[in-house]
Protein backbone atom coordinates (compact mmCIF):
# COMPACT_ATOMS: atom_id res chain seq x y z
CA UNK A 1 0.00 0.00 0.00
CA UNK A 2 1.33 3.43 -0.91
CA UNK A 3 1.47 5.93 1.96
CA UNK A 4 1.61 9.70 1.80
CA UNK A 5 4.59 11.74 2.87
CA UNK A 6 2.78 12.70 6.09
CA UNK A 7 2.34 9.04 7.07
CA UNK A 8 6.00 8.25 6.32
CA UNK A 9 7.18 11.29 8.33
CA UNK A 10 4.91 10.24 11.20
CA UNK A 11 6.46 6.75 11.20
CA UNK A 12 9.99 8.21 11.19
CA UNK A 13 9.24 10.56 14.11
CA UNK A 14 7.72 7.63 16.02
CA UNK A 15 10.96 5.70 15.53
CA UNK A 16 12.97 8.73 16.72
CA UNK A 17 10.71 9.22 19.73
CA UNK A 18 9.93 12.87 19.03
CA UNK A 19 6.11 12.53 19.08
CA UNK A 20 3.96 13.60 21.99
CA UNK A 21 1.67 11.22 23.86
CA UNK A 22 -1.40 11.79 21.64
CA UNK A 23 0.54 11.33 18.42
CA UNK A 24 2.24 8.18 19.70
CA UNK A 25 -1.17 6.79 20.68
CA UNK A 26 -2.42 7.54 17.17
CA UNK A 27 0.56 5.72 15.62
CA UNK A 28 0.05 2.75 17.96
CA UNK A 29 -3.57 2.51 16.83
CA UNK A 30 -2.57 2.66 13.17
CA UNK A 31 0.07 -0.03 13.71
CA UNK A 32 -2.49 -2.26 15.42
CA UNK A 33 -4.99 -2.10 12.54
CA UNK A 34 -2.54 -1.80 9.63
CA UNK A 35 0.24 -4.38 9.48
CA UNK A 36 1.86 -2.70 6.48
CA UNK A 37 2.13 0.60 8.36
CA UNK A 38 3.63 -1.29 11.29
CA UNK A 39 6.25 -2.69 8.90
CA UNK A 40 7.04 0.86 7.76
CA UNK A 41 7.57 1.96 11.37
CA UNK A 42 9.76 -1.08 12.02
CA UNK A 43 11.84 -0.31 8.95
CA UNK A 44 12.44 3.22 10.24
CA UNK A 45 13.47 1.79 13.61
CA UNK A 46 16.02 -0.43 11.86
CA UNK A 47 17.39 2.53 9.93
CA UNK A 48 17.56 4.91 12.88
CA UNK A 49 18.59 2.36 15.50
CA UNK A 50 22.17 2.44 14.28
CA UNK A 51 22.43 6.04 15.49
CA UNK A 52 22.65 4.75 19.09
CA UNK A 53 25.74 2.75 18.19
CA UNK A 54 27.44 5.79 16.68
CA UNK A 55 27.16 7.83 19.92
CA UNK A 56 28.75 6.57 23.13
CA UNK A 57 27.06 6.68 26.52
CA UNK A 58 27.64 9.81 28.62
CA UNK A 59 27.58 9.63 32.40
CA UNK A 60 25.78 12.67 33.82
CA UNK A 61 27.29 14.54 36.75
CA UNK A 62 26.14 13.53 40.26
CA UNK A 63 24.58 16.91 40.86
CA UNK A 64 22.16 16.28 37.96
CA UNK A 65 20.76 13.12 39.50
CA UNK A 66 20.54 14.75 42.92
CA UNK A 67 18.53 17.61 41.47
CA UNK A 68 16.22 15.18 39.68
CA UNK A 69 15.64 13.16 42.85
CA UNK A 70 14.95 16.30 44.84
CA UNK A 71 12.48 17.49 42.21
CA UNK A 72 10.50 14.25 42.16
CA UNK A 73 10.81 13.59 45.92
CA UNK A 74 12.86 10.40 45.79
CA UNK A 75 15.59 9.27 48.15
CA UNK A 76 19.19 10.05 47.57
CA UNK A 77 20.12 6.44 46.95
CA UNK A 78 22.14 6.05 43.80
CA UNK A 79 20.37 4.44 40.89
CA UNK A 80 21.71 2.90 37.78
CA UNK A 81 21.86 5.24 34.80
CA UNK A 82 19.31 4.84 32.07
CA UNK A 83 20.54 3.12 28.98
CA UNK A 84 18.81 3.17 25.63
CA UNK A 85 17.91 -0.27 24.34
CA UNK A 86 20.08 -1.57 21.60
CA UNK A 87 18.34 -1.94 18.30
CA UNK A 88 17.78 -5.41 16.95
CA UNK A 89 19.81 -6.37 13.92
CA UNK A 90 17.94 -6.03 10.61
CA UNK A 91 16.44 -9.23 9.22
CA UNK A 92 18.52 -11.11 6.74
CA UNK A 93 17.09 -11.21 3.22
CA UNK A 94 17.76 -14.36 1.27
CA UNK A 95 19.43 -13.70 -2.08
CA UNK A 96 17.30 -14.31 -5.14
CA UNK A 97 18.81 -16.54 -7.76
CA UNK A 98 18.42 -15.15 -11.28
CA UNK A 99 18.00 -17.82 -13.88
CA UNK A 100 18.84 -17.26 -17.49
CA UNK A 101 16.04 -18.08 -19.85
CA UNK A 102 16.94 -18.92 -23.39
CA UNK A 103 14.60 -17.52 -25.99
CA UNK A 104 14.23 -19.61 -29.07
CA UNK A 105 13.03 -17.79 -32.17
CA UNK A 106 10.18 -19.51 -33.87
CA UNK A 107 10.57 -19.66 -37.59
CA UNK A 108 7.25 -19.72 -39.44
CA UNK A 109 6.72 -22.68 -41.58
CA UNK A 110 6.20 -21.80 -45.21
CA UNK A 111 3.46 -23.68 -46.91
CA UNK A 112 4.45 -24.34 -50.47
CA UNK A 113 1.04 -25.50 -51.55
CA UNK A 114 0.67 -25.07 -55.28
CA UNK A 115 -3.08 -24.44 -54.98
CA UNK A 116 -2.50 -21.29 -52.93
CA UNK A 117 -0.02 -19.98 -55.49
CA UNK A 118 -2.47 -20.52 -58.34
CA UNK A 119 -5.29 -18.82 -56.40
CA UNK A 120 -3.08 -15.80 -55.64
CA UNK A 121 -2.07 -15.48 -59.29
CA UNK A 122 -5.70 -15.54 -60.42
CA UNK A 123 -6.58 -12.81 -57.90
CA UNK A 124 -3.75 -10.62 -59.12
CA UNK A 125 -4.91 -11.04 -62.72
CA UNK A 126 -8.49 -10.17 -61.73
CA UNK A 127 -7.40 -6.99 -59.92
CA UNK A 128 -5.27 -5.95 -62.86
CA UNK A 129 -8.27 -6.31 -65.17
CA UNK A 130 -10.45 -4.22 -62.87
CA UNK A 131 -7.76 -1.55 -62.64
CA UNK A 132 -7.51 -1.41 -66.44
CA UNK A 133 -11.28 -1.00 -66.80
CA UNK A 134 -11.37 1.75 -64.16
CA UNK A 135 -8.52 3.60 -65.89
CA UNK A 136 -10.33 3.42 -69.23
CA UNK A 137 -13.55 4.78 -67.71
CA UNK A 138 -11.67 7.61 -66.01
CA UNK A 139 -9.94 8.53 -69.27
CA UNK A 140 -13.27 8.55 -71.14
CA UNK A 141 -14.86 10.79 -68.51
CA UNK A 142 -11.88 13.14 -68.64
CA UNK A 143 -12.16 13.43 -72.42
CA UNK A 144 -15.91 14.04 -72.22
CA UNK A 145 -15.51 16.77 -69.61
CA UNK A 146 -12.81 18.42 -71.69
CA UNK A 147 -15.04 18.43 -74.77
CA UNK A 148 -17.94 19.86 -72.77
CA UNK A 149 -15.78 22.77 -71.70
CA UNK A 150 -13.73 23.52 -74.82
CA UNK A 151 -15.57 21.91 -77.79
CA UNK A 152 -19.19 21.19 -76.83
CA UNK A 153 -20.25 21.02 -80.50
CA UNK A 154 -18.18 17.84 -80.98
CA UNK A 155 -20.38 15.91 -78.52
CA UNK A 156 -23.67 14.19 -79.42
CA UNK A 157 -26.81 16.20 -78.88
CA UNK A 158 -27.92 14.02 -75.95
CA UNK A 159 -24.89 14.79 -73.80
CA UNK A 160 -24.13 18.25 -75.13
CA UNK A 161 -24.37 20.85 -72.35
CA UNK A 162 -27.17 23.34 -72.63
CA UNK A 163 -26.07 26.91 -73.29
CA UNK A 164 -26.32 29.15 -70.30
CA UNK A 165 -28.05 32.46 -70.77
CA UNK A 166 -26.94 35.13 -68.39
CA UNK A 167 -28.97 38.28 -68.11
CA UNK A 168 -27.01 41.36 -67.22
CA UNK A 169 -28.89 44.36 -65.97
CA UNK A 170 -27.28 47.61 -66.96
CA UNK A 171 -28.54 50.63 -65.14
CA UNK A 172 -28.55 53.68 -67.35
CA UNK A 173 -28.37 56.91 -65.43
CA UNK A 174 -31.38 59.12 -65.79
CA UNK A 175 -30.86 61.97 -68.19
CA UNK A 176 -30.12 65.25 -66.57
CA UNK A 177 -33.02 67.60 -66.40
CA UNK A 178 -32.66 70.35 -68.93
CA UNK A 179 -33.77 73.65 -67.49
CA UNK A 180 -36.39 75.37 -69.61
CA UNK A 181 -36.59 79.07 -70.24
CA UNK A 182 -39.15 81.10 -68.37
CA UNK A 183 -40.84 84.25 -69.71
CA UNK A 184 -42.89 86.91 -67.92
CA UNK A 185 -45.10 89.68 -69.32
CA UNK A 186 -46.50 92.52 -67.18
CA UNK A 187 -49.85 93.55 -68.66
CA UNK A 188 -50.26 97.19 -67.66
CA UNK A 189 -52.77 99.92 -68.38
CA UNK A 190 -52.29 103.62 -68.98
CA UNK A 191 -52.04 104.22 -65.24
CA UNK A 192 -48.77 102.26 -65.15
CA UNK A 193 -49.69 99.66 -62.54
CA UNK A 194 -49.72 95.97 -63.56
CA UNK A 195 -53.18 94.47 -63.82
CA UNK A 196 -52.10 90.96 -64.90
CA UNK A 197 -48.84 88.97 -64.75
CA UNK A 198 -48.42 86.42 -67.52
CA UNK A 199 -45.77 83.65 -67.29
CA UNK A 200 -44.87 81.20 -70.08
CA UNK A 201 -42.84 77.97 -69.80
CA UNK A 202 -40.39 77.81 -72.70
CA UNK A 203 -40.49 74.00 -72.96
CA UNK A 204 -44.22 73.27 -72.77
CA UNK A 205 -45.57 76.61 -74.06
CA UNK A 206 -48.10 76.63 -71.26
CA UNK A 207 -48.95 80.03 -69.87
CA UNK A 208 -50.45 81.21 -66.61
CA UNK A 209 -52.16 84.55 -66.05
CA UNK A 210 -52.39 85.92 -62.55
CA UNK A 211 -54.88 88.65 -61.76
CA UNK A 212 -53.23 91.45 -59.79
CA UNK A 213 -55.30 94.63 -59.76
CA UNK A 214 -58.04 94.38 -62.42
CA UNK A 215 -61.69 93.72 -61.63
CA UNK A 216 -64.23 92.92 -64.33
CA UNK A 217 -67.56 94.73 -64.46
CA UNK A 218 -70.71 92.73 -63.85
CA UNK A 219 -71.76 90.91 -67.01
CA UNK A 220 -68.33 91.45 -68.60
CA UNK A 221 -65.22 89.26 -69.02
CA UNK A 222 -61.53 89.87 -69.59
CA UNK A 223 -60.20 88.19 -72.74
CA UNK A 224 -56.50 87.66 -73.58
CA UNK A 225 -55.20 88.28 -77.12
CA UNK A 226 -51.96 87.57 -79.02
CA UNK A 227 -51.07 90.38 -81.42
CA UNK A 228 -48.18 89.87 -83.88
CA UNK A 229 -47.14 91.49 -87.14
CA UNK A 230 -46.58 87.96 -88.48
CA UNK A 231 -50.26 87.19 -88.13
CA UNK A 232 -53.02 88.85 -90.20
CA UNK A 233 -55.19 89.56 -87.13
CA UNK A 234 -55.17 89.15 -83.35
CA UNK A 235 -55.66 85.64 -82.00
CA UNK A 236 -57.74 84.95 -78.91
CA UNK A 237 -56.02 83.01 -76.09
CA UNK A 238 -59.24 82.60 -74.13
CA UNK A 239 -61.22 84.29 -71.42
CA UNK A 240 -59.43 85.04 -68.16
CA UNK A 241 -61.25 83.31 -65.34
CA UNK A 242 -62.71 84.91 -62.27
CA UNK A 243 -60.10 83.30 -60.00
CA UNK A 244 -56.62 84.61 -59.26
CA UNK A 245 -54.89 82.20 -61.71
CA UNK A 246 -55.82 81.09 -65.21
CA UNK A 247 -53.72 78.49 -67.11
CA UNK A 248 -53.93 77.61 -70.81
CA UNK A 249 -51.86 75.28 -73.11
CA UNK A 250 -52.87 77.00 -76.38
CA UNK A 251 -49.49 78.56 -77.25
CA UNK A 252 -47.98 75.22 -78.34
CA UNK A 253 -49.52 75.66 -81.82
CA UNK A 254 -47.60 78.88 -82.48
CA UNK A 255 -44.03 79.29 -83.66
CA UNK A 256 -41.44 80.34 -81.12
CA UNK A 257 -40.60 83.61 -82.87
CA UNK A 258 -44.29 84.53 -82.91
CA UNK A 259 -44.68 83.79 -79.20
CA UNK A 260 -41.48 85.59 -78.19
CA UNK A 261 -42.07 88.75 -80.21
CA UNK A 262 -45.85 89.13 -79.83
CA UNK A 263 -47.73 91.70 -77.80
CA UNK A 264 -50.23 90.35 -75.31
CA UNK A 265 -53.37 92.40 -74.67
CA UNK A 266 -56.49 92.20 -72.53
CA UNK A 267 -59.86 93.58 -73.62
CA UNK A 268 -63.21 93.81 -71.91
CA UNK A 269 -65.78 91.66 -73.70
CA UNK A 270 -69.24 90.44 -72.96
CA UNK A 271 -69.60 87.55 -70.58
CA UNK A 272 -68.02 84.47 -72.11
CA UNK A 273 -65.78 86.35 -74.56
CA UNK A 274 -66.06 87.94 -77.99
CA UNK A 275 -68.71 86.21 -80.14
CA UNK A 276 -66.89 87.05 -83.40
CA UNK A 277 -63.42 85.91 -82.36
CA UNK A 278 -62.06 89.46 -82.75
CA UNK A 279 -61.63 92.21 -80.15
CA UNK A 280 -64.75 94.39 -79.82
CA UNK A 281 -63.03 97.08 -77.73
CA UNK A 282 -59.69 98.76 -77.39
CA UNK A 283 -57.15 96.80 -75.28
CA UNK A 284 -56.96 98.09 -71.71
CA UNK A 285 -53.80 96.23 -70.64
CA UNK A 286 -50.82 95.27 -72.83
CA UNK A 287 -47.31 93.90 -72.37
CA UNK A 288 -44.44 91.96 -73.98
CA UNK A 289 -42.50 88.89 -72.80
CA UNK A 290 -39.26 89.19 -70.85
CA UNK A 291 -36.96 86.15 -70.40
CA UNK A 292 -36.45 85.75 -66.65
CA UNK A 293 -34.82 82.26 -66.57
CA UNK A 294 -32.51 81.33 -69.46
CA UNK A 295 -32.85 77.84 -70.88
CA UNK A 296 -30.25 75.45 -72.33
CA UNK A 297 -29.17 75.93 -75.92
CA UNK A 298 -30.76 72.62 -76.92
CA UNK A 299 -34.02 73.21 -75.09
CA UNK A 300 -37.08 73.31 -77.36
CA UNK A 301 -38.68 76.66 -77.71
Amino acid sequence: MAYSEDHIALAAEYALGTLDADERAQVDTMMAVDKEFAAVVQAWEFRLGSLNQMVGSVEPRPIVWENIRAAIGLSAEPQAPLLLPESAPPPQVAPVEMRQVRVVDQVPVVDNDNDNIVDLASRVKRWRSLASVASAIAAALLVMFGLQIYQPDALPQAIRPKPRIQTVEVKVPAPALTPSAQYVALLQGQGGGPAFIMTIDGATRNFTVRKVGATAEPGKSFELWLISDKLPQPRSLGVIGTGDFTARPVLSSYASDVVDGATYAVTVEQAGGSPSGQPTSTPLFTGKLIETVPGAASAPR
Side-chain angles (χ1 to χ4, degrees):
M1 180 177 179
Y3 293 94
S4 63
E5 294 181 359
D6 294 338
H7 287 83
I8 296 174
L10 191 64
E13 292 181 5
Y14 181 87
L16 287 174
T18 58
L19 298 178
D20 55 14
D22 295 336
E23 291 176 342
R24 290 189 65 85
Q26 180 182 358
V27 174
D28 291 336
T29 304
M30 294 175 62
M31 292 172 60
V33 299
D34 191 355
K35 299 301 182 182
E36 294 182 3
F37 184 74
V40 173
V41 175
Q42 186 178 6
W44 276 108
E45 289 177 350
F46 289 152
R47 295 175 187 174
L48 301 177
S50 59
L51 296 177
N52 294 333
Q53 300 176 2
M54 297 174 60
V55 179
S57 59
V58 177
E59 182 71 21
R61 294 179 299 171
I63 189 62
V64 175
W65 291 111
E66 292 177 359
N67 293 335
I68 293 175
R69 292 189 190 97
I72 61 177
L74 296 178
S75 61
E77 296 179 358
Q79 295 183 359
L82 295 176
L83 297 177
L84 294 176
E86 295 183 358
S87 60
Q92 298 294 329
V93 180
V96 179
E97 181 180 0
M98 302 297 293
R99 295 182 179 180
Q100 294 182 355
V101 180
R102 183 178 181 183
V103 179
V104 179
D105 296 336
Q106 296 182 359
V107 180
V109 179
V110 180
D111 188 8
N112 295 325
D113 192 0
N114 293 331
D115 294 337
N116 294 335
I117 297 176
V118 173
D119 184 43
L120 180 60
S122 61
R123 290 184 180 180
V124 171
K125 185 181 296 183
R126 188 183 307 115
W127 283 110
R128 286 180 178 176
S129 301
L130 292 177
S132 300
V133 173
S135 300
I137 294 174
L141 291 176
L142 183 61
V143 171
M144 185 179 65
F145 289 153
L147 291 176
Q148 286 182 351
I149 296 174
Y150 298 103
Q151 293 182 355
D153 296 337
L155 295 173
Q157 187 66 29
I159 61 175
R160 186 178 301 175
K162 296 181 180 180
R164 294 184 301 174
I165 300 175
Q166 185 176 4
T167 303
V168 179
E169 182 181 358
V170 179
K171 294 184 178 180
V172 180
L177 297 177
T178 303
S180 60
Q182 300 293 323
Y183 300 89
V184 175
L186 299 179
L187 306 183
Q188 301 175 349
Q190 294 181 356
F196 299 93
I197 298 176
M198 180 181 180
T199 59
I200 298 177
D201 183 80
T204 62
R205 295 296 178 182
N206 296 334
F207 72 87
T208 302
V209 177
R210 179 181 180 184
K211 188 184 298 183
V212 178
T215 303
E217 299 177 1
K220 300 291 183 179
S221 297
F222 290 115
E223 189 169 354
L224 181 63
W225 303 89
L226 185 148
I227 302 173
S228 175
D229 55 359
K230 297 181 180 181
L231 299 176
Q233 55 187 1
R235 299 290 180 88
S236 175
L237 299 180
V239 176
I240 299 175
T242 57
D244 292 338
F245 295 92
T246 301
R248 296 283 189 276
V250 295
L251 289 177
S252 58
S253 59
Y254 295 94
S256 59
D257 55 346
V258 174
V259 174
D260 295 343
T263 299
Y264 296 89
V266 177
T267 61
V268 178
E269 304 293 340
Q270 64 181 11
S274 173
S276 61
Q278 292 297 317
T280 60
S281 63
T282 303
L284 297 179
F285 310 102
T286 59
K288 297 182 70 68
L289 291 178
I290 300 174
E291 186 177 14
T292 56
V293 178
S298 59
R301 298 187 60 185

